[in-house]
Coordinates of all heavy atoms in Angstrom, one line a residue:
M1 N 109.7 79.0 176.7 CA 110.8 78.8 175.6 C 110.1 78.3 174.3 O 109.1 77.6 174.4 CB 111.7 77.7 176.1 CG 112.9 77.5 175.2 SD 113.9 76.1 175.7 CE 113.3 74.9 174.6
T2 N 110.6 78.8 173.2 CA 110.2 78.3 171.9 C 111.4 78.2 171.0 O 112.5 78.5 171.4 CB 109.1 79.2 171.4 OG1 108.5 78.5 170.2 CG2 109.6 80.5 170.9
L3 N 111.1 77.7 169.8 CA 112.2 77.6 168.8 C 111.7 78.3 167.5 O 110.5 78.5 167.3 CB 112.4 76.1 168.5 CG 112.9 75.3 169.7 CD1 112.9 73.8 169.3 CD2 114.3 75.7 170.1
L4 N 112.7 78.7 166.7 CA 112.4 79.2 165.4 C 113.5 78.8 164.4 O 114.6 78.4 164.8 CB 112.1 80.7 165.4 CG 113.3 81.7 165.6 CD1 112.8 83.1 165.2 CD2 113.7 81.7 167.1
G5 N 113.2 79.0 163.1 CA 114.2 78.7 162.1 C 114.6 77.2 162.1 O 113.8 76.3 162.4
D6 N 115.8 77.0 161.7 CA 116.3 75.6 161.5 C 116.2 74.8 162.9 O 116.0 73.6 162.9 CB 117.7 75.5 161.1 CG 117.9 75.7 159.6 OD1 116.9 76.0 158.9 OD2 119.0 75.6 159.1
A7 N 116.3 75.5 164.0 CA 116.2 74.8 165.3 C 114.8 74.2 165.5 O 114.7 73.1 166.1 CB 116.5 75.8 166.4
A8 N 113.8 74.8 164.9 CA 112.5 74.3 165.0 C 112.1 73.3 163.9 O 111.3 72.4 164.1 CB 111.5 75.4 165.0
H9 N 112.7 73.5 162.7 CA 112.2 72.7 161.6 C 113.3 72.5 160.5 O 113.1 72.9 159.4 CB 111.0 73.3 161.0 CG 111.0 74.8 160.8 ND1 111.8 75.4 159.9 CD2 110.4 75.8 161.5 CE1 111.7 76.7 160.0 NE2 110.8 77.0 161.0
L10 N 114.4 71.9 160.9 CA 115.5 71.6 159.9 C 114.9 70.6 158.9 O 114.2 69.7 159.2 CB 116.7 71.0 160.6 CG 117.9 70.8 159.7 CD1 118.5 72.1 159.2 CD2 119.0 70.0 160.5
A11 N 115.2 70.9 157.6 CA 114.6 70.0 156.6 C 115.6 69.9 155.4 O 116.5 70.7 155.3 CB 113.2 70.6 156.1
A12 N 115.3 69.0 154.5 CA 116.1 68.9 153.3 C 116.0 70.3 152.6 O 115.0 70.9 152.5 CB 115.5 67.8 152.4
P13 N 117.2 70.7 152.0 CA 117.2 72.0 151.3 C 116.2 72.1 150.2 O 116.1 71.3 149.3 CB 118.6 72.1 150.8 CG 119.4 71.1 151.5 CD 118.5 70.0 151.9
N14 N 115.4 73.2 150.2 CA 114.5 73.5 149.1 C 114.4 75.0 148.9 O 113.5 75.5 148.3 CB 113.1 72.9 149.3 CG 112.4 73.6 150.5 OD1 113.0 74.2 151.3 ND2 111.1 73.4 150.6
G15 N 115.4 75.7 149.4 CA 115.4 77.2 149.1 C 114.4 78.0 150.0 O 114.2 79.1 149.7
E16 N 113.9 77.4 151.1 CA 113.0 78.1 151.9 C 113.4 78.3 153.3 O 112.8 79.0 154.1 CB 111.6 77.3 151.9 CG 110.9 77.2 150.6 CD 110.4 78.6 150.2 OE1 110.2 79.5 151.0 OE2 110.1 78.7 149.0
G17 N 114.5 77.7 153.7 CA 114.9 77.7 155.1 C 115.1 79.1 155.7 O 114.7 79.4 156.8
A18 N 115.9 79.9 154.9 CA 116.1 81.3 155.4 C 114.8 82.1 155.4 O 114.6 82.9 156.4 CB 117.2 82.0 154.5
N19 N 114.0 81.9 154.4 CA 112.7 82.6 154.4 C 111.8 82.2 155.6 O 111.2 83.1 156.2 CB 112.0 82.3 153.1 CG 112.7 82.8 151.9 OD1 113.2 83.9 151.8 ND2 112.9 81.9 150.9
L20 N 111.8 80.9 155.8 CA 111.0 80.4 157.0 C 111.5 81.0 158.3 O 110.8 81.3 159.2 CB 111.0 78.9 157.0 CG 110.1 78.2 156.0 CD1 110.3 76.7 156.1 CD2 108.6 78.6 156.2
A21 N 112.9 81.0 158.4 CA 113.5 81.5 159.7 C 113.1 83.0 159.9 O 112.7 83.4 161.0 CB 115.0 81.3 159.6
M22 N 113.1 83.8 158.8 CA 112.8 85.2 159.0 C 111.3 85.4 159.2 O 110.9 86.2 160.0 CB 113.2 86.0 157.7 CG 114.7 86.1 157.6 SD 115.2 87.2 156.2 CE 114.9 86.2 154.8
L23 N 110.5 84.6 158.6 CA 109.0 84.6 158.8 C 108.7 84.2 160.2 O 107.9 84.9 160.9 CB 108.3 83.7 157.8 CG 106.8 83.7 157.9 CD1 106.2 85.2 157.8 CD2 106.2 82.8 156.9
D24 N 109.4 83.2 160.7 CA 109.2 82.8 162.1 C 109.5 84.0 163.1 O 108.7 84.2 164.0 CB 110.1 81.6 162.5 CG 109.7 80.3 161.9 OD1 108.6 80.2 161.3 OD2 110.5 79.3 162.1
G25 N 110.6 84.6 162.8 CA 111.0 85.8 163.7 C 109.9 86.8 163.7 O 109.5 87.4 164.7
A26 N 109.4 87.2 162.5 CA 108.4 88.2 162.4 C 107.1 87.8 163.0 O 106.5 88.6 163.8 CB 108.2 88.5 160.9
E27 N 106.7 86.5 162.8 CA 105.5 86.0 163.4 C 105.6 85.9 164.9 O 104.6 86.2 165.7 CB 105.1 84.7 162.8 CG 104.7 84.8 161.4 CD 103.4 85.5 161.1 OE1 102.4 85.2 161.8 OE2 103.3 86.4 160.3
L28 N 106.7 85.5 165.4 CA 106.9 85.5 166.9 C 106.8 86.9 167.5 O 106.2 87.1 168.5 CB 108.3 84.8 167.2 CG 108.7 84.7 168.7 CD1 107.6 84.0 169.5 CD2 110.1 84.1 168.8
G29 N 107.5 87.8 166.8 CA 107.4 89.2 167.3 C 106.0 89.7 167.3 O 105.5 90.4 168.3
R30 N 105.2 89.4 166.3 CA 103.8 89.8 166.2 C 103.0 89.2 167.3 O 102.1 89.9 167.9 CB 103.2 89.5 164.8 CG 101.8 90.0 164.6 CD 101.4 90.2 163.2 NE 101.5 89.1 162.4 CZ 101.2 89.1 161.1 NH1 100.8 90.3 160.5 NH2 101.3 88.1 160.3
A31 N 103.2 87.9 167.6 CA 102.4 87.2 168.6 C 102.7 87.8 170.0 O 101.8 88.0 170.8 CB 102.7 85.7 168.6
I32 N 104.0 88.2 170.2 CA 104.4 88.8 171.5 C 103.7 90.2 171.6 O 103.2 90.5 172.7 CB 105.9 88.8 171.7 CG1 106.4 87.4 171.8 CG2 106.3 89.6 172.9 CD1 107.9 87.3 171.8
A33 N 103.8 90.9 170.5 CA 103.2 92.2 170.6 C 101.7 92.2 170.8 O 101.1 93.1 171.4 CB 103.5 93.0 169.2
A34 N 101.0 91.1 170.3 CA 99.6 91.0 170.5 C 99.2 90.5 171.9 O 98.1 90.7 172.4 CB 99.0 89.9 169.5
H35 N 100.2 89.9 172.6 CA 99.9 89.4 174.0 C 101.1 89.7 174.9 O 101.8 88.9 175.4 CB 99.7 87.8 174.0 CG 98.7 87.4 173.0 ND1 97.3 87.4 173.3 CD2 98.8 86.8 171.8 CE1 96.6 87.0 172.3 NE2 97.5 86.6 171.3
P36 N 101.3 91.0 175.1 CA 102.5 91.5 175.8 C 102.6 91.0 177.3 O 103.6 90.9 177.9 CB 102.5 93.0 175.7 CG 101.1 93.3 175.3 CD 100.6 92.2 174.6
D37 N 101.4 90.8 177.8 CA 101.3 90.4 179.2 C 101.1 88.9 179.4 O 100.8 88.5 180.6 CB 100.2 91.2 179.9 CG 100.4 92.7 179.8 OD1 101.6 93.1 179.9 OD2 99.5 93.4 179.6
D38 N 101.1 88.1 178.3 CA 100.8 86.7 178.5 C 101.7 85.9 177.5 O 101.3 85.6 176.4 CB 99.3 86.4 178.2 CG 98.9 85.0 178.4 OD1 99.9 84.2 178.7 OD2 97.7 84.7 178.3
I39 N 102.9 85.7 177.9 CA 103.9 85.2 176.9 C 103.6 83.7 176.5 O 103.8 83.3 175.4 CB 105.4 85.2 177.5 CG1 106.4 85.0 176.5 CG2 105.5 84.3 178.7 CD1 106.6 86.0 175.4
E40 N 102.9 83.0 177.4 CA 102.5 81.6 177.1 C 101.5 81.6 176.0 O 101.6 80.8 175.0 CB 102.0 80.9 178.3 CG 103.1 80.5 179.4 CD 104.2 79.7 178.8 OE1 103.9 78.8 178.0 OE2 105.4 79.9 179.2
T41 N 100.5 82.5 176.0 CA 99.6 82.6 174.9 C 100.2 83.0 173.7 O 99.9 82.5 172.6 CB 98.4 83.6 175.3 OG1 97.8 83.0 176.5 CG2 97.5 83.8 174.2
A42 N 101.2 83.9 173.7 CA 101.9 84.4 172.6 C 102.6 83.2 171.9 O 102.6 83.0 170.7 CB 102.8 85.5 172.9
L43 N 103.4 82.5 172.7 CA 104.2 81.4 172.2 C 103.3 80.3 171.6 O 103.6 79.7 170.5 CB 105.1 80.8 173.2 CG 106.1 81.7 173.8 CD1 107.1 80.9 174.7 CD2 106.9 82.4 172.8
A44 N 102.2 80.0 172.3 CA 101.2 79.0 171.7 C 100.6 79.4 170.4 O 100.5 78.6 169.5 CB 100.1 78.7 172.8
E45 N 100.3 80.7 170.3 CA 99.7 81.2 169.1 C 100.7 81.1 167.9 O 100.4 80.7 166.8 CB 99.3 82.6 169.3 CG 98.5 83.3 168.1 CD 98.0 84.6 168.5 OE1 97.1 84.7 169.3 OE2 98.6 85.6 168.0
Y46 N 102.0 81.5 168.2 CA 103.0 81.4 167.2 C 103.3 80.0 166.8 O 103.3 79.7 165.6 CB 104.3 82.0 167.8 CG 105.6 81.6 167.2 CD1 106.0 82.0 165.9 CD2 106.4 80.7 167.9 CE1 107.1 81.5 165.4 CE2 107.6 80.2 167.4 CZ 108.0 80.6 166.1 OH 109.1 80.1 165.5
E47 N 103.3 79.1 167.7 CA 103.6 77.7 167.4 C 102.5 77.0 166.6 O 102.7 76.2 165.8 CB 104.0 76.9 168.7 CG 105.3 77.3 169.3 CD 105.6 76.6 170.6 OE1 104.7 75.9 171.1 OE2 106.7 76.9 171.2
R48 N 101.3 77.4 166.9 CA 100.1 76.8 166.3 C 100.2 77.1 164.7 O 99.8 76.2 164.0 CB 98.8 77.4 166.8 CG 97.8 76.4 167.2 CD 96.5 76.9 167.7 NE 96.3 78.2 168.1 CZ 96.5 78.7 169.3 NH1 96.7 77.9 170.3 NH2 96.3 80.0 169.6
A49 N 100.7 78.2 164.3 CA 100.9 78.5 162.9 C 102.2 78.0 162.4 O 102.3 77.5 161.2 CB 100.7 80.0 162.7
M50 N 103.2 78.1 163.2 CA 104.6 77.7 162.7 C 104.7 76.2 162.4 O 105.3 75.9 161.3 CB 105.6 78.2 163.8 CG 107.1 77.9 163.4 SD 107.7 76.3 163.9 CE 107.8 76.5 165.7
F51 N 104.2 75.4 163.2 CA 104.5 73.9 162.9 C 103.8 73.4 161.6 O 104.5 72.8 160.8 CB 104.1 73.1 164.2 CG 105.1 73.1 165.3 CD1 104.8 73.6 166.5 CD2 106.4 72.7 165.0 CE1 105.7 73.7 167.5 CE2 107.4 72.8 166.1 CZ 107.0 73.3 167.3
P52 N 102.5 73.8 161.4 CA 101.9 73.3 160.1 C 102.7 74.0 158.9 O 102.9 73.4 157.9 CB 100.5 73.8 160.2 CG 100.2 74.1 161.6 CD 101.5 74.4 162.2
R53 N 103.0 75.3 159.1 CA 103.7 76.0 158.0 C 105.0 75.3 157.6 O 105.3 75.0 156.5 CB 103.9 77.4 158.4 CG 104.7 78.3 157.4 CD 104.7 79.7 157.8 NE 105.5 80.0 159.0 CZ 105.0 80.6 160.1 NH1 103.8 81.0 160.1 NH2 105.8 80.8 161.1
S54 N 105.8 74.9 158.6 CA 107.1 74.3 158.4 C 106.9 72.9 158.0 O 107.8 72.4 157.2 CB 108.0 74.4 159.6 OG 107.3 73.9 160.8
A55 N 105.9 72.2 158.4 CA 105.7 70.8 157.9 C 105.4 70.8 156.4 O 105.8 69.9 155.7 CB 104.5 70.2 158.7
E56 N 104.6 71.8 156.0 CA 104.3 71.9 154.5 C 105.6 72.1 153.8 O 105.8 71.5 152.7 CB 103.3 73.0 154.3 CG 102.8 73.0 152.9 CD 101.7 74.1 152.7 OE1 101.1 74.6 153.7 OE2 101.6 74.6 151.6
A57 N 106.5 73.0 154.3 CA 107.7 73.3 153.6 C 108.6 72.0 153.6 O 109.3 71.8 152.6 CB 108.4 74.5 154.2
A58 N 108.6 71.3 154.7 CA 109.4 70.1 154.8 C 109.0 69.0 153.8 O 109.8 68.3 153.1 CB 109.4 69.5 156.2
A59 N 107.6 68.9 153.6 CA 107.1 68.0 152.6 C 107.6 68.4 151.2 O 107.9 67.6 150.4 CB 105.6 67.9 152.7
D60 N 107.5 69.7 150.9 CA 108.0 70.2 149.6 C 109.5 69.9 149.4 O 109.9 69.5 148.4 CB 107.8 71.7 149.5 CG 106.4 72.1 149.3 OD1 105.6 71.2 149.1 OD2 106.1 73.3 149.4
G61 N 110.3 70.0 150.5 CA 111.7 69.7 150.4 C 111.9 68.2 150.1 O 112.8 67.9 149.3
A62 N 111.2 67.4 150.8 CA 111.3 65.9 150.5 C 110.9 65.6 149.1 O 111.6 64.8 148.4 CB 110.4 65.2 151.5
E63 N 109.9 66.3 148.6 CA 109.5 66.0 147.2 C 110.6 66.5 146.2 O 110.9 65.7 145.3 CB 108.2 66.8 147.0 CG 107.5 66.5 145.6 CD 106.2 67.3 145.5 OE1 105.7 67.9 146.5 OE2 105.8 67.4 144.3
L64 N 111.1 67.6 146.5 CA 112.2 68.1 145.6 C 113.4 67.2 145.7 O 114.1 66.9 144.7 CB 112.6 69.6 146.0 CG 113.7 70.2 145.2 CD1 113.2 70.4 143.7 CD2 114.0 71.6 145.7
H65 N 113.8 66.7 146.9 CA 114.9 65.8 147.1 C 114.7 64.6 146.2 O 115.6 64.1 145.6 CB 115.0 65.5 148.6 CG 116.3 64.8 148.9 ND1 116.5 63.4 148.9 CD2 117.5 65.3 149.2 CE1 117.7 63.1 149.2 NE2 118.4 64.2 149.4
E66 N 113.4 64.1 146.2 CA 113.1 62.9 145.4 C 113.3 63.2 143.9 O 113.8 62.3 143.2 CB 111.7 62.4 145.7 CG 111.3 61.1 145.1 CD 112.1 59.9 145.5 OE1 112.7 59.9 146.7 OE2 112.3 59.0 144.7
I67 N 112.9 64.3 143.5 CA 113.0 64.7 142.1 C 114.5 64.8 141.7 O 114.9 64.3 140.6 CB 112.3 66.1 141.8 CG1 110.8 65.9 141.9 CG2 112.7 66.7 140.5 CD1 110.0 67.1 141.9
L68 N 115.3 65.4 142.6 CA 116.7 65.6 142.3 C 117.5 64.3 142.4 O 118.4 64.1 141.6 CB 117.3 66.7 143.2 CG 116.7 68.1 143.0 CD1 117.3 69.0 144.0 CD2 117.1 68.6 141.6
F69 N 117.2 63.5 143.4 CA 118.1 62.4 143.7 C 117.5 61.0 143.8 O 118.1 60.0 144.1 CB 118.8 62.7 145.1 CG 119.6 64.0 145.2 CD1 119.1 65.0 146.0 CD2 120.7 64.2 144.4 CE1 119.8 66.2 146.0 CE2 121.4 65.4 144.4 CZ 120.9 66.4 145.2
G70 N 116.2 61.0 143.5 CA 115.5 59.7 143.6 C 115.8 58.8 142.5 O 116.5 59.1 141.5
D71 N 115.2 57.6 142.5 CA 115.4 56.6 141.5 C 115.1 57.1 140.1 O 115.6 56.6 139.1 CB 114.6 55.3 141.8 CG 115.2 54.6 143.1 OD1 116.3 54.9 143.5 OD2 114.4 53.9 143.7
G72 N 114.1 58.0 140.0 CA 113.6 58.4 138.6 C 114.4 59.5 138.0 O 114.2 59.9 136.9
T73 N 115.4 60.0 138.7 CA 116.2 61.1 138.1 C 117.1 60.6 137.0 O 117.6 59.4 137.1 CB 117.0 61.9 139.2 OG1 117.4 63.1 138.7 CG2 118.2 61.1 139.7
P74 N 117.4 61.2 135.9 CA 117.1 62.7 135.7 C 115.8 62.9 135.0 O 115.4 64.1 134.8 CB 118.2 63.1 134.7 CG 118.5 61.8 133.9 CD 118.3 60.7 134.9
R75 N 115.0 61.8 134.7 CA 113.7 62.0 134.1 C 112.8 63.0 134.9 O 112.2 63.9 134.4 CB 113.0 60.7 133.9 CG 111.6 60.7 133.4 CD 111.2 61.6 132.3 NE 112.0 61.4 131.1 CZ 112.2 62.3 130.1 NH1 111.5 63.4 130.1 NH2 112.9 62.1 129.1
T76 N 112.8 62.7 136.3 CA 111.9 63.5 137.1 C 112.4 65.0 137.1 O 111.5 65.9 137.2 CB 112.0 63.0 138.6 OG1 113.4 62.8 138.9 CG2 111.2 61.7 138.7
L77 N 113.7 65.2 137.0 CA 114.2 66.6 137.0 C 113.8 67.3 135.6 O 113.3 68.4 135.6 CB 115.7 66.6 137.1 CG 116.4 67.9 137.2 CD1 115.8 68.8 138.4 CD2 117.9 67.7 137.4
L78 N 113.9 66.5 134.5 CA 113.5 67.1 133.2 C 112.0 67.4 133.2 O 111.5 68.4 132.7 CB 113.8 66.1 132.1 CG 115.3 65.9 131.9 CD1 115.6 64.7 130.9 CD2 116.0 67.2 131.3
D79 N 111.2 66.5 133.8 CA 109.7 66.7 133.9 C 109.4 68.0 134.7 O 108.6 68.8 134.3 CB 109.1 65.5 134.6 CG 108.9 64.3 133.7 OD1 109.2 64.4 132.5 OD2 108.6 63.2 134.2
M80 N 110.2 68.2 135.8 CA 110.0 69.4 136.6 C 110.2 70.7 135.7 O 109.5 71.6 135.7 CB 110.8 69.4 137.8 CG 110.5 70.6 138.8 SD 111.6 70.6 140.2 CE 113.1 71.4 139.5
F81 N 111.4 70.6 135.0 CA 111.7 71.8 134.2 C 110.7 72.0 133.1 O 110.5 73.1 132.6 CB 113.1 71.7 133.6 CG 114.2 71.9 134.6 CD1 115.4 71.1 134.6 CD2 114.1 72.9 135.5 CE1 116.4 71.3 135.5 CE2 115.2 73.1 136.4 CZ 116.3 72.3 136.4
Q82 N 110.0 71.0 132.7 CA 109.0 71.1 131.6 C 107.6 71.4 132.1 O 106.7 71.4 131.4 CB 109.0 69.8 130.7 CG 110.3 69.7 129.9 CD 110.4 68.3 129.2 OE1 109.7 67.4 129.5 NE2 111.4 68.2 128.4
G83 N 107.6 71.5 133.5 CA 106.3 71.9 134.1 C 105.5 70.8 134.6 O 104.3 71.0 135.0
N84 N 106.0 69.6 134.5 CA 105.3 68.4 135.0 C 105.9 68.0 136.3 O 107.1 67.9 136.4 CB 105.3 67.2 134.1 CG 104.9 67.6 132.7 OD1 103.9 68.4 132.5 ND2 105.7 67.2 131.7
G85 N 105.1 67.7 137.3 CA 105.6 67.2 138.6 C 106.4 68.2 139.4 O 107.3 67.9 140.1
Q86 N 106.1 69.5 139.1 CA 106.7 70.6 139.8 C 106.4 70.6 141.3 O 105.2 70.4 141.6 CB 106.3 71.9 139.2 CG 107.0 73.1 139.8 CD 107.6 74.1 138.8 OE1 107.2 73.9 137.6 NE2 108.4 74.9 139.2
P87 N 107.4 70.8 142.2 CA 107.0 70.9 143.6 C 106.0 72.0 143.8 O 106.1 73.0 143.1 CB 108.4 71.2 144.3 CG 109.4 70.8 143.3 CD 108.8 70.9 141.9
R88 N 105.2 71.9 144.8 CA 104.2 72.9 145.2 C 104.9 74.2 145.5 O 106.0 74.2 146.1 CB 103.3 72.5 146.3 CG 102.3 71.4 145.9 CD 101.7 70.8 147.1 NE 102.6 69.9 147.7 CZ 102.7 69.6 149.0 NH1 101.9 70.1 149.8 NH2 103.6 68.7 149.5
Ligands
FAD101 C1 124.3 74.9 151.5 C2 123.0 75.5 151.9 C3 122.3 76.3 151.0 C4 121.1 76.9 151.4 N1 120.4 77.7 150.5 C5 119.3 78.3 150.9 C6 118.5 79.1 150.0 O1 118.9 79.3 148.8 N2 117.4 79.8 150.4 C7 117.0 79.6 151.7 O2 116.0 80.2 152.1 N3 117.6 78.8 152.6 C8 118.8 78.2 152.2 N4 119.5 77.4 153.1 C9 118.9 77.2 154.5 C10 119.2 78.4 155.3 O3 120.6 78.7 155.3 C11 118.8 78.1 156.8 O4 117.5 77.5 156.8 C12 118.8 79.4 157.6 O5 120.1 79.9 157.7 C13 118.3 79.0 159.0 O6 118.4 80.2 159.8 P1 118.5 80.1 161.4 O7 118.7 81.5 161.9 O8 117.4 79.3 161.9 O9 119.8 79.2 161.7 P2 121.4 79.6 161.3 O10 121.5 80.5 160.1 O11 122.1 78.3 161.3 O12 121.8 80.5 162.5 C14 122.1 79.9 163.8 C15 123.2 80.7 164.4 O13 123.3 80.3 165.8 C16 124.7 80.2 166.1 N5 124.8 79.3 167.2 C17 124.8 77.9 167.2 N6 124.9 77.4 168.4 C18 125.1 78.5 169.3 C19 125.4 78.7 170.7 N7 125.4 77.6 171.5 N8 125.5 79.9 171.1 C20 125.4 81.0 170.3 N9 125.2 80.9 169.0 C21 125.1 79.7 168.5 C22 125.3 79.7 164.8 O14 126.7 80.0 164.7 C23 124.5 80.5 163.8 O15 125.1 81.8 163.5 C24 120.6 76.8 152.7 C25 121.4 76.0 153.7 C26 122.5 75.4 153.3 C27 123.4 74.6 154.3

């Protein structure tokens, strides 16, 4: 069993959730195609890449949430629009 999309890595909205869910599906399919007779290896390979990828996106989401709703807003939001402190 494995997870993908929001079920695997629900995070604060940053405009990446649907993209990550589709990428997860594609990467899972690719891993299974590469190891058709060894599903455990396929899932492990998929998860090894999926968890760091989604952790990075979650960190970006937390950063954006702070810019939008943190103590420094609206200054932080204006800084982002001006190219300073832009989320990765
Ligand atoms: C307000 C809002 C705005 C967003 N804007 C963006 C954006 O601009 N860009 C972006 O990339 N992402 C955005 N997202 C995030 C994005 O919608 C999700 O990350 C994405 O839909 C996750 O896809 P998923 O397939 O993992 O889950 P979901 O899209 O939630 O699909 C899960 C499906 O499973 C079904 N389901 C649940 N339980 C069961 C069950 N027991 N049996 C059968 N079916 C079940 C649900 O009905 C649903 O259809 C936004 C999210 C929200 C809430």
Side-chain angles (χ1 to χ4, degrees):
M1 190 185 96
T2 192
L3 297 171
L4 71 163
D6 279 6
H9 43 69
L10 186 63
N14 67 343
E16 292 294 339
N19 297 312
L20 285 175
M22 290 189 287
L23 181 57
D24 286 352
E27 291 291 312
L28 178 57
R30 183 152 61 181
I32 293 171
H35 305 282
D37 300 322
D38 186 354
I39 193 71
E40 289 302 324
T41 296
L43 297 188
E45 186 174 288
Y46 156 72
E47 290 174 359
R48 229 181 351 261
M50 181 270 287
F51 283 119
R53 178 171 68 235
S54 52
E56 189 178 335
D60 286 352
E63 190 180 343
L64 182 61
H65 192 270
E66 185 62 27
I67 288 170
L68 293 175
F69 304 112
D71 291 342
T73 197
R75 169 51 50 200
T76 47
L77 185 57
L78 292 171
D79 284 348
M80 186 184 81
F81 284 139
Q82 289 169 352
N84 308 316
Q86 180 132 16
R88 285 166 287 149

